[in-house]
Amino acid sequence: MNRPIYMDNAATTRTDPRVVEAMLPYFTEVYGNPGSRNHMYGWESEAAVDAAREQAASLIGAGPKEIIWTSGATESNNLAIKGAAQMYAKAPLGSTGRGHIITAIIEHKAVLDPVKRLEREGFEVTWLEPGTDGIITAEMVRNAMRDDTILVTIMWANNEVGTINEVPEIGAVCREKGVVFHTDATQWVGKMPTDVDRDNIDLLSWSGHKIYGPKGVGALYVRRRKPRVRLQAQMDGGGHERGMRSGTLNVTGIVGMGAACAICAEEMETERERLLGLRRRLETELSSRMDVVAVNGHADRRLPHLTNISFGFVEGESLMMGIKDIACSSGSACTSASLEPSYVLKGLGLGDDLAHSSLRLSLGRFSTEEDVEIAIEGIVKAVEHLRRLSPLYDLHQEGIDINTIEWQAH
Amino acid sequence: MAYSEKVNDHYDNPRNVGSFGTSTEVKERKDVGVGIVGAPECGDVMQLQIKVGDDGVIEDAKFKCFGCGSAIASSSLATEWIKGKSVDEALKIRNTQIVEELALPPVKIHCSVLAEDSIRTAINDYKQKNGMAVEADHAHAH
């Protein structure tokens, strides 16, 4: 059986062979613990970690001392959100009124769940909802600000739809109010130009494996000046990473993430254009060859490599079954015990019929025009097959609006 | 999710797809019974239509289904099973038989329940149109 073509780069990416090459010596030749201060083995590993720190910092316009290595974006988010909330809390653990946090319902679980935990621990939370374009705006954040707001955490680009929030503007509002601003930039960094000073960011999370680096390594940017941001450590131990994240450094992973950052910085501009061309081709072909096809989220404010498309009158899981040659994500979570459609798509105000039938296609460095061709043909074939079976498509063709029918929900 | 071979076969080659006319046309046909169950927001809508002869035997059956692979397979299988049966025999089909035939996993049992419901709804529709007594609802073996 041929392996399906890979269109799930928002889930993870293939490690770039150049990255693997850069990592290899650090398994068997340079294997010292960067914390070993007394011998050459330690020094050379530390030098490698520092070089990677420069590469990571330079990708986002930060200084190397502002980079904390972690195990991935989930850990970075946890450290940023819990670490900042605990550091800037207005009352001690066990009391209420510990401070106000602003976030959005379309965040990744790695942000939602830490914030929910803080909510249980005495912080108050405003959960912003986007408009139908999927964007969280600076105005929404400004209107939610309170005197006791201590933290705003808004993702840069959404992982399911690819919509881009007003991050620099939200950062400016936070700066004006003196509130710490964290952004989960996992889908953004490495793909789009980033400058933490220009973009008013205090804390920024990203990971290695979304940018053609290895899995199991990530980074958190922590602003050191204007203003200096402090965090309470979530992992206690040997005091690594300026005391913010203890644990022996994952040298091979860090070297890989550094190399991945350097390649992204180098190739970002041309890659962006190329991917945008491929994405547009996907969207135009699919929506011109079939009716009732909706590209979800804002028309322009979206990542170049990611598209989320709904196919009316077709159910998501059966659509996935029909496109076995394409590895991608379904917007619907109906594959397991949960029969709820994607909470992000519902957040966009998409009706249940459309939220049930969407695909997330995410392109990457190794995607080709041929891949896009195969995907278009495969999806058209599957949707047409399922529409021949769909009683809802019949009703649509008879001119009956399915939202006006009284269904016998089971 | 890995599906059984039978589910995959019904998905790729669904049996008896179609209808006996538009929704308005079938409403008026006394020899046709229509069962539509489920709701779009639940991710499943099954439509089963039966064409019944004067002798009370289901001459033909057609389905359409908006739903997952198991739902498509359950309704496709239902059409195969009821064709040639009298309406009263068809009413004896239980969802558990569908589960067994298609090797449906526990999370997909609701698909078989929908298929059983669609058979009963279609038959009841036929009976009502023809002034016959309709059997009362009964509990499913979930």
Side-chain angles (χ1 to χ4, degrees):
Chain A
M1 181 186 148
N2 280 337
R3 284 166 69 78
I5 54 162
Y6 191 69
M7 287 223 176
D8 208 7
N9 287 276
T12 193
T13 57
R14 174 187 175 203
T15 311
D16 192 304
R18 293 171 289 181
V19 168
V20 177
E21 203 60 37
M23 291 169 69
L24 287 176
Y26 295 89
F27 287 100
T28 52
E29 292 160 37
V30 183
Y31 53 82
N33 186 330
S36 298
R37 293 286 154 82
N38 302 319
H39 51 69
M40 187 188 162
Y41 292 84
W43 303 330
E44 56 193 17
S45 283
E46 190 181 26
V49 168
D50 285 345
R53 212 184 286 280
E54 291 274 357
Q55 291 169 315
S58 138
L59 181 63
I60 61 165
K65 287 183 177 162
E66 297 176 305
I67 302 297
I68 304 292
W69 295 115
T70 66
S71 62
T74 291
E75 188 192 339
S76 298
N77 286 335
N78 272 268
L79 173 55
I81 293 166
K82 294 177 192 166
Q86 288 162 5
M87 182 60 76
Y88 297 100
K90 294 192 177 293
L93 184 63
S95 40
T96 55
R98 299 181 71 201
H100 175 235
I101 298 168
I102 299 172
T103 188
I105 59 164
I106 56 164
E107 294 289 319
H108 191 273
K109 287 266 200 292
V111 167
L112 296 176
D113 284 1
V115 175
K116 280 183 196 160
R117 184 181 294 277
L118 291 169
E119 198 172 30
R120 289 194 298 272
E121 291 176 356
F123 294 89
E124 287 180 37
V125 180
T126 296
W127 303 92
L128 297 176
E129 293 180 20
T132 51
D133 61 2
I135 314 282
I136 300 294
T137 67
E139 200 52 34
M140 294 174 188
V141 172
R142 181 183 291 282
N143 292 337
M145 281 283 185
R146 303 191 332 202
D147 290 342
D148 63 341
T149 305
I150 55 166
L151 174 69
V152 171
T153 173
I154 299 292
M155 67 191 346
W156 207 320
N158 178 266
N159 53 303
E160 283 192 45
V161 187
T163 39
I164 299 167
N165 297 318
E166 291 182 359
V167 161
E169 297 83 356
I170 292 170
V173 171
C174 293
R175 193 60 47 81
E176 181 193 319
K177 305 275 183 189
V179 172
V180 174
F181 177 44
H182 166 252
T183 186
D184 173 2
T186 309
Q187 299 289 349
W188 173 271
V189 166
K191 323 276 163 72
M192 300 291 277
T194 309
D195 183 321
V196 287
D197 285 331
R198 179 196 63 202
D199 300 329
N200 309 311
I201 314 283
D202 295 326
L203 297 161
L204 177 147
S205 308
W206 83 106
S207 72
H209 75 101
K210 306 277 197 205
I211 57 169
Y212 315 97
K215 294 165 183 63
V217 62
L220 176 64
Y221 159 77
V222 184
R223 177 169 288 281
R224 260 169 76 88
R225 37 192 290 276
K226 296 190 202 169
R228 180 186 184 89
V229 174
R230 296 163 67 220
L231 297 178
Q232 193 163 106
Q234 304 296 308
M235 185 78 84
D236 298 320
H240 307 78
E241 299 297 275
R242 293 164 44 224
M244 283 191 250
R245 203 278 190 179
S246 290
T248 297
L249 293 171
N250 166 12
V251 179
T252 45
I254 289 166
V255 167
M257 181 157 171
C261 288
I263 296 170
C264 284
E266 184 72 26
E267 300 179 354
M268 187 187 301
E269 282 310 312
T270 48
E271 192 58 5
R272 243 172 93 187
E273 287 305 311
R274 189 183 76 89
L275 292 175
L276 185 59
L278 293 180
R279 191 201 83 195
R280 287 208 171 119
R281 176 120 172 255
L282 260 178
E283 292 173 348
T284 335
E285 288 268 327
L286 290 173
S287 39
S288 64
R289 285 173 58 174
M290 294 179 289
D291 62 344
V292 201
V293 171
V295 177
N296 296 313
H298 193 281
D300 306 313
R301 284 189 69 102
R302 281 187 293 122
L303 291 171
H305 63 287
L306 193 162
T307 187
N308 185 305
I309 310 186
S310 290
F311 304 91
F313 318 114
V314 166
E315 189 274 338
E317 193 181 320
S318 61
L319 182 55
M320 296 300 282
M321 249 182 114
I323 51 166
K324 294 192 184 77
D325 297 339
I326 309 159
C328 65
S329 288
S330 167
S332 103
C334 292
T335 46
S336 62
S338 149
L339 293 172
E340 277 295 297
S342 156
Y343 66 98
V344 173
L345 293 178
K346 288 193 88 167
L348 298 187
L350 218 59
D352 283 308
D353 45 335
L354 280 174
H356 265 293
S357 63
S358 79
L359 294 179
R360 180 186 72 174
L361 302 162
S362 46
L363 304 158
R365 186 177 288 165
F366 304 101
S367 301
T368 63
E369 289 209 18
E370 200 196 344
D371 290 346
V372 170
E373 280 299 316
I374 297 171
I376 292 167
E377 294 310 321
I379 293 168
V380 169
K381 194 171 152 226
V383 172
E384 285 179 348
H385 173 66
L386 291 168
R387 282 184 175 173
R388 273 193 294 275
L389 296 181
S390 172
L392 305 181
Y393 191 60
D394 280 353
L395 291 171
H396 166 68
Q397 286 188 314
E398 286 181 35
I400 298 167
D401 179 356
I402 65 163
N403 295 307
T404 61
I405 295 177
E406 262 189 52
W407 297 98
Q408 300 175 321
H410 208 259
Chain B
M1 174 174 296
Y3 287 99
S4 69
E5 254 177 58
K6 281 181 181 162
V7 170
N8 277 312
D9 182 42
H10 279 282
Y11 177 91
D12 290 331
N13 312 293
R15 333 285 201 255
N16 307 310
V17 176
S19 55
F20 299 112
T22 64
S23 53
T24 357
E25 284 163 11
V26 290
K27 232 175 248 166
E28 288 171 5
R29 281 184 65 169
K30 284 203 161 184
D31 61 333
V32 171
V34 179
I36 301 178
V37 293
E41 69 259 32
C42 306
D44 293 296
V45 175
M46 256 179 218
Q47 172 185 294
L48 182 71
Q49 300 188 351
I50 51 169
K51 187 160 158 289
V52 186
D54 294 337
D55 53 358
V57 171
I58 299 171
E59 287 175 353
D60 202 358
K62 299 270 186 206
F63 89 97
K64 291 246 170 170
C65 178
F66 162 88
C68 65
S70 303
I72 291 170
S74 298
S75 38
S76 169
L77 178 67
T79 59
E80 282 193 314
W81 278 1
I82 60 174
K83 265 167 80 165
K85 282 196 168 72
S86 72
V87 289
D88 291 325
E89 278 168 356
L91 280 172
K92 289 182 188 145
I93 293 171
R94 287 293 165 267
N95 77 295
T96 45
Q97 295 166 278
I98 296 172
V99 171
E100 197 177 324
E101 172 69 15
L102 297 174
L104 298 181
V107 294
K108 294 298 180 187
I109 287 176
H110 70 278
C111 299
S112 68
V113 173
L114 272 183
E116 185 190 317
D117 278 357
S118 71
I119 297 174
R120 192 173 41 257
T121 315
I123 291 175
N124 286 350
D125 180 56
Y126 165 79
K127 286 186 169 176
Q128 267 166 354
K129 278 176 175 171
N130 291 280
M132 296 153 78
V134 169
E135 74 155 28
D137 208 357
H138 67 95
H140 304 291
H142 274 246

